[in-house]
Amino acid sequence: MADHSLSQDLQLDSQGRLRHFLTIEGLSRDLLVRIMDTAESFTSVTEQTVKKVPLLRGKSVVNLFFENSTRTLATFELAAKRLSADVLNLNIRTSSTAKGETLLDTIRNLEAMQVDLFVVRHAESGAAHFIARHCAPHVSVINGGDGRHAHPTQAMLDMFTIRRVKGPDFGKLKVAIVGDILHSRVARSQIAALNTLGAGEIRVVAPKTLLPVQVESLGVAPYTDLDAGLDGVDVVVMLRLQRERMNSAFLPSESEYFRCFGLTEQRLARAKPDAMVMHPGPINRGVEIDSAVADGPRSVILQQVNHGIAVRMAVLSMCTPGGHA
Amino acid sequence: MSGRILIRGGRLIDPANGVDAVADLYLADGRVAAVGQAPDGFQADETVDAGGLVVCPGFIDLCARLREPGHTHKATIASETAAAAKAGVTTLCCPPDTGPVIDTPAVGTLIQEKAEQAGKARVLPIGALTRELNGKDLSAMAALKAAGCVAVGNAYQPLANSQVWRHALEYAATHDLLVMIRPEDPWLKEQGCVHEGRLATRLGLPGIPESAETVAVAQALALIEQTGARAHFGQLSCGRAAAMIAEAQSRGVAVSCDVAIHQLHLTEDDVDGFDARCHVSPPLRTAADRDALRLAVASGAIAALCSDHQPHEPDAKLDTFLSTEPGMAALETLLPLTLRLVELGLLSLPAALERLSAGPARILGLPRAGLAVGDAADVCVFDANQVWKAEGAHWASRGRNTPFWGQEMRGAARLTLLAGETVYRADNR
């Protein structure tokens, strides 16, 4: 069975609405546009004095974080609270699974507390799929990032940011995703979203050690030369170089990496003059991106963070029964 | 002592002796008494009507884990040898990664005694190549051989370095012990859990490159040639490794190889959707690998098909893909999946049965594995057309961890005899 159909079966209810949000793969262009449109409607909420709507009043959202996160956890928590949900944040790394409880038992115990929605962050690919397949029918699961596999809300907030800056026609856009593609769930979800939205060209740029095998099967053009990869692009997405992997044999040093793949103003000149620069954070200044670019006029990094709340409000409301906006 | 049995009117296929004909088979005192014509004065205690059925030697499985000792929450020797009997398997080799490891005669003897008590199949232990499978210290191979171990191997555990490899092969050769190699370079494998290819890239699962197998095969082949050891590569997963071994065979190197039957039917794409039932080691590879392995089986370069049976308790597969335990319960799908190769036109039925009996017997150096007069009456009588569903009522193994669960299978044993004793008989016919 192809994952596309499986994801569709698992993610959509009989009326084609979101039941879980696990991966971009298998979702239609219309649905991705609807997520962005819904997010658009929530941006005004975040600008009001009373930043709350009652859409998820009486619902319980559990942020199940098996892996550290600051930004994703904070924006999911804020998004749920702005929808008036009750929110429980659980750092499972220091909790029951550390005492030997299985993942499934943890989920079943929480389900017994009559929660409505899990946001799951996990270090292993497929964790959100696994939980969605085994959780109770009334519970929805949103993937808050699983291993190297997917980070669909991050990808949607990135698409939302691109749409706000470049307009709705993705077909005219050339996008370069630069950095540690091999380990990046963000890159995989971005690539899936950009393909679904019909992006004109998607490039991935990295040394061969950080490019997964047969990456072109994802519908991208691989580059190992940053200057060539940036040539004439509209959007540059820089990925975090994971310092924790720097000691293994992927790269000789951070400084050599920056020399070859770091984004400087000089390098950015290869892109179109109005190219926008994105980064899902947290950024490593001087490793993958120069401060002058990160804080420069073409950077939309902080807008991405802000948009994260509206997009997560959209996904939370669309996944929760009775919460459809 | 077993009685006299006449198996009448079946299609007798005995690959070891080149027999494929409708013929009666006469068994007495646990051995084949005659083929075709009744011996003088033969009075059958039991007559089996095998009309429309295939009568062949019991299957020999080069790799089946029974989980005992040490892992009886998964399965036991009694439960899995019963599954073997139901599958037509009369002899099976059990790898040394039990708990404790088969690195002392006592453990090898214990396994054989338990198998004899259960009385369903002959179990041949494979002794550990290194003590506790630690990859460094040679095991007491002479003692293991004396205790009935037919070969030595290190199961999934790597050897510390190539010098240990060399000495292990030399020492095994000293005692004329077959060395069973599961080729896998541990550094190239790293934390991988699926084939490093399209699917691993899409699902973000850590991959195991093809080179993890080919590098290990190349290293082992060089050492085998130097040491002159008798060696067998088990459970190949990629076509290139099979080609390397075939090339060595063509130069006269004494090496053989087998493949797990699921590798001939499944590919990396079957893992899609994070299906932990398809989490196996070595991983399922590409359709091109599957096709190349099929051709190597057809050409005889791969001389044996095995089940690589690994029963698990349900919880072993209830986790994120990477955290689940590899392996599938596969004894009972061995015959129907082999028959699928015949349906696909890759092998004749006699050739397919050869890969399940005479082929593995030759690899192990077993004296006779056919149905000639005097051979042990290890017999499988099966219906090549019987359709059954892989589900509860039709499943004997304690492990139900198979991606074929719930699927229709074609081909089932009706009767299995071990040294003339009935160890499995289908309920209805």
Side-chain angles (χ1 to χ4, degrees):
Chain A
M1 190 191 296
D3 189 49
H4 296 260
S5 61
L6 183 134
S7 299
Q8 225 163 24
D9 292 345
L10 205 54
Q11 295 197 109
L12 302 180
D13 66 15
S14 56
Q15 289 151 336
R17 294 186 305 195
L18 265 188
R19 181 167 140 47
H20 303 293
F21 192 48
L22 310 172
T23 171
I24 302 287
E25 282 188 305
L27 299 182
S28 68
R29 183 180 184 281
D30 282 353
L31 188 55
L32 301 193
V33 170
R34 212 178 316 143
I35 291 170
M36 289 190 282
D37 291 345
T38 309
E40 198 70 61
S41 73
F42 283 128
T43 51
S44 58
V45 175
T46 63
E47 286 156 10
Q48 289 166 6
T49 322
V50 180
K51 301 181 179 62
K52 258 190 194 297
V53 288
L55 272 173
L56 296 192
R57 184 183 292 153
K59 302 285 184 188
S60 306
V61 173
V62 178
N63 287 323
L64 265 175
F65 277 55
F66 296 86
E67 191 186 57
N68 285 337
S69 160
T70 305
R71 180 179 333 237
T72 304
L73 177 61
T75 50
F76 264 114
E77 184 176 357
L78 274 174
K81 285 180 171 167
R82 286 179 184 175
L83 292 166
S84 307
D86 298 317
V87 183
L88 185 63
N89 291 331
L90 292 178
N91 184 350
I92 306 292
R93 287 184 80 203
T94 56
S95 180
S96 32
T97 50
K99 297 176 189 166
E101 187 172 78
T102 68
L103 178 54
L104 206 52
D105 282 335
T106 303
I107 297 300
R108 286 184 175 148
N109 275 286
L110 290 165
E111 273 175 3
M113 300 174 198
Q114 301 301 315
V115 301
D116 299 287
L117 195 143
F118 290 124
V119 177
V120 180
R121 158 70 65 101
H122 200 285
E124 288 187 21
S125 301
H129 270 77
F130 174 74
I131 293 169
R133 205 176 288 127
H134 290 95
C135 70
H138 66 274
V139 177
S140 293
V141 177
I142 295 176
N143 187 357
D146 63 325
R148 308 174 181 184
H149 172 233
H151 198 349
T153 59
Q154 176 70 46
M156 287 316 300
L157 76 87
D158 294 336
M159 298 305 110
F160 184 70
T161 306
I162 292 172
R163 191 174 82 162
R164 282 200 136 196
V165 176
K166 296 287 180 187
D169 182 8
F170 280 75
K172 66 182 184 190
L173 296 180
K174 286 184 186 173
V175 182
I177 304 171
V178 183
D180 185 357
I181 311 291
L182 178 66
H183 300 106
S184 177
R185 52 193 169 212
V186 175
R188 283 173 178 77
S189 286
Q190 285 172 336
I191 289 165
L194 286 164
N195 274 316
T196 303
L197 292 168
E201 188 181 337
I202 311 166
R203 303 174 184 176
V204 290
V205 188
K208 281 193 169 182
T209 47
L210 297 179
L211 280 174
V213 297
Q214 297 180 41
V215 69
E216 59 281 3
S217 67
L218 299 177
V220 299
Y223 286 76
T224 51
D225 177 275
L226 181 60
D227 288 330
L230 291 179
D231 195 27
V233 299
D234 303 278
V235 181
V236 184
V237 181
M238 298 305 294
L239 297 175
R240 180 173 76 90
L241 186 67
Q242 293 164 20
R243 286 174 190 271
E244 63 270 25
R245 298 186 193 282
M246 291 295 288
N247 290 336
S248 66
F250 289 103
L251 297 168
S253 68
E254 291 183 357
S255 58
E256 174 149 318
Y257 178 78
F258 185 68
R259 263 199 306 280
C260 299
F261 294 94
L263 188 64
T264 60
E265 285 188 309
Q266 188 187 7
R267 279 239 157 82
L268 187 56
R270 302 295 295 249
K272 282 190 183 158
D274 62 345
M276 60 192 281
V277 175
M278 308 176 75
H279 194 305
I283 61 173
N284 292 323
R285 292 168 186 269
V287 177
E288 69 257 356
I289 192 164
D290 192 52
S291 283
V293 179
D295 303 329
R298 289 194 265 179
S299 165
V300 293
I301 295 171
L302 292 177
Q303 289 175 55
Q304 287 175 267
V305 179
N306 178 255
H307 293 158
I309 299 171
V311 166
R312 285 169 178 138
M313 285 173 78
V315 173
L316 282 165
S317 66
M318 290 169 75
C319 280
T320 311
H324 291 277
Chain B
M1 181 171 287
S2 52
R4 281 163 293 189
I5 303 171
L6 164 59
I7 301 176
R8 191 167 62 195
R11 178 179 171 189
L12 184 67
I13 299 178
D14 175 6
N17 296 294
V19 175
D20 180 5
V22 174
D24 298 338
L25 183 67
Y26 298 86
L27 310 174
D29 303 328
R31 299 205 165 266
V32 175
V35 179
Q37 296 292 321
D40 288 344
F42 187 92
Q43 292 284 324
D45 300 318
E46 182 187 357
T47 299
V48 176
D49 175 11
L53 305 178
V54 175
V55 180
C56 66
F59 308 135
I60 300 170
D61 190 346
L62 291 177
C63 186
R65 283 175 171 79
L66 308 174
R67 303 306 194 191
E68 192 178 1
H71 310 288
T72 49
H73 61 294
K74 294 181 184 291
T76 63
I77 288 172
S79 70
E80 300 319 288
T81 52
K86 184 174 173 297
V89 173
T90 48
T91 299
L92 50 83
C93 296
C94 130
D97 49 356
T98 44
V101 162
I102 309 176
D103 63 354
T104 60
V107 181
T109 304
L110 172 78
I111 289 170
Q112 290 170 93
E113 283 175 359
K114 288 218 168 221
E116 277 164 28
Q117 279 166 18
K120 296 289 188 183
R122 203 169 274 120
V123 175
L124 307 175
I126 298 169
L129 191 63
T130 58
R131 263 200 325 257
E132 296 175 344
L133 300 174
N134 69 9
K136 294 182 292 191
D137 308 306
L138 298 186
S139 65
M141 294 185 212
L144 290 170
K145 183 178 180 183
C149 290
V150 288
V152 284
N154 229 47
Y156 285 129
Q157 300 307 314
L159 296 189
N161 58 53
S162 39
Q163 188 67 294
V164 174
W165 242 134
R166 173 195 171 170
H167 289 152
L169 288 162
E170 285 173 339
Y171 192 69
T174 305
H175 298 288
D176 191 29
L177 264 168
L178 177 71
V179 179
M180 285 197 156
I181 302 167
R182 233 280 311 223
E184 189 171 68
D185 181 285
W187 297 280
L188 286 166
K189 181 191 179 185
E190 233 186 350
Q191 300 302 311
C193 60
V194 292
H195 171 63
E196 185 182 277
R198 262 184 315 111
L199 184 102
T201 290
R202 222 186 80 227
L203 295 188
L205 288 169
I208 304 171
E210 179 199 80
S211 58
E213 186 160 304
T214 52
V215 163
V217 167
Q219 183 197 40
L221 278 174
L223 293 170
I224 290 162
E225 287 198 61
Q226 181 178 315
T227 59
R230 264 196 313 130
H232 173 78
F233 291 95
Q235 299 90 59
L236 296 185
S237 69
C238 62
R240 199 185 300 263
M244 292 164 72
I245 294 164
E247 190 275 333
Q249 288 169 336
S250 72
R251 286 187 286 108
V253 183
V255 283
S256 54
C257 53
D258 70 59
V259 63
I261 191 70
H262 58 253
Q263 291 284 359
L264 303 177
H265 294 283
L266 303 172
T267 68
E268 59 175 336
D269 292 331
D270 289 289
V271 173
D272 214 344
F274 300 100
D275 189 346
R277 297 171 308 171
C278 291
H279 181 190
V280 289
S281 178
L284 301 172
R285 297 202 184 268
T286 66
D289 283 308
R290 179 201 59 194
D291 294 347
L293 289 170
R294 283 176 171 181
L295 289 176
V297 171
S299 74
I302 294 179
L305 302 170
C306 73
S307 68
D308 195 11
H309 178 64
Q310 299 192 42
H312 283 298
E313 78 284 17
D315 284 348
K317 292 289 187 183
L318 276 177
D319 208 329
T320 54
F321 190 92
L322 184 62
S323 295
T324 57
E325 294 183 54
M328 62 177 74
L331 270 168
E332 287 155 272
T333 49
L334 178 61
L335 173 62
L337 292 181
T338 300
L339 294 176
R340 274 191 203 175
L341 301 176
V342 178
E343 280 174 43
L344 290 165
L346 291 157
L347 288 168
S348 65
L349 183 56
L353 297 178
E354 198 272 342
R355 306 296 188 275
L356 292 177
S357 55
R362 212 167 39 245
I363 290 163
L364 292 171
L366 300 181
R368 300 162 81 125
L371 294 175
V373 174
D375 286 350
D378 291 356
V379 183
C380 174
V381 180
F382 70 87
D383 181 346
N385 296 310
Q386 185 184 334
V387 175
W388 57 283
K389 209 176 227 186
E391 60 183 14
H394 301 285
W395 199 258
S397 168
R398 286 255 296 271
R400 295 176 166 200
N401 47 300
T402 165
F404 299 105
W405 192 253
Q407 288 187 23
E408 278 198 344
M409 296 280 136
R410 183 181 289 272
R414 307 296 309 170
L415 177 72
T416 306
L417 301 174
L418 177 67
E421 298 281 358
T422 301
V423 289
Y424 172 74
R425 187 191 300 270
D427 292 338
N428 54 346
R429 175 170 159 79

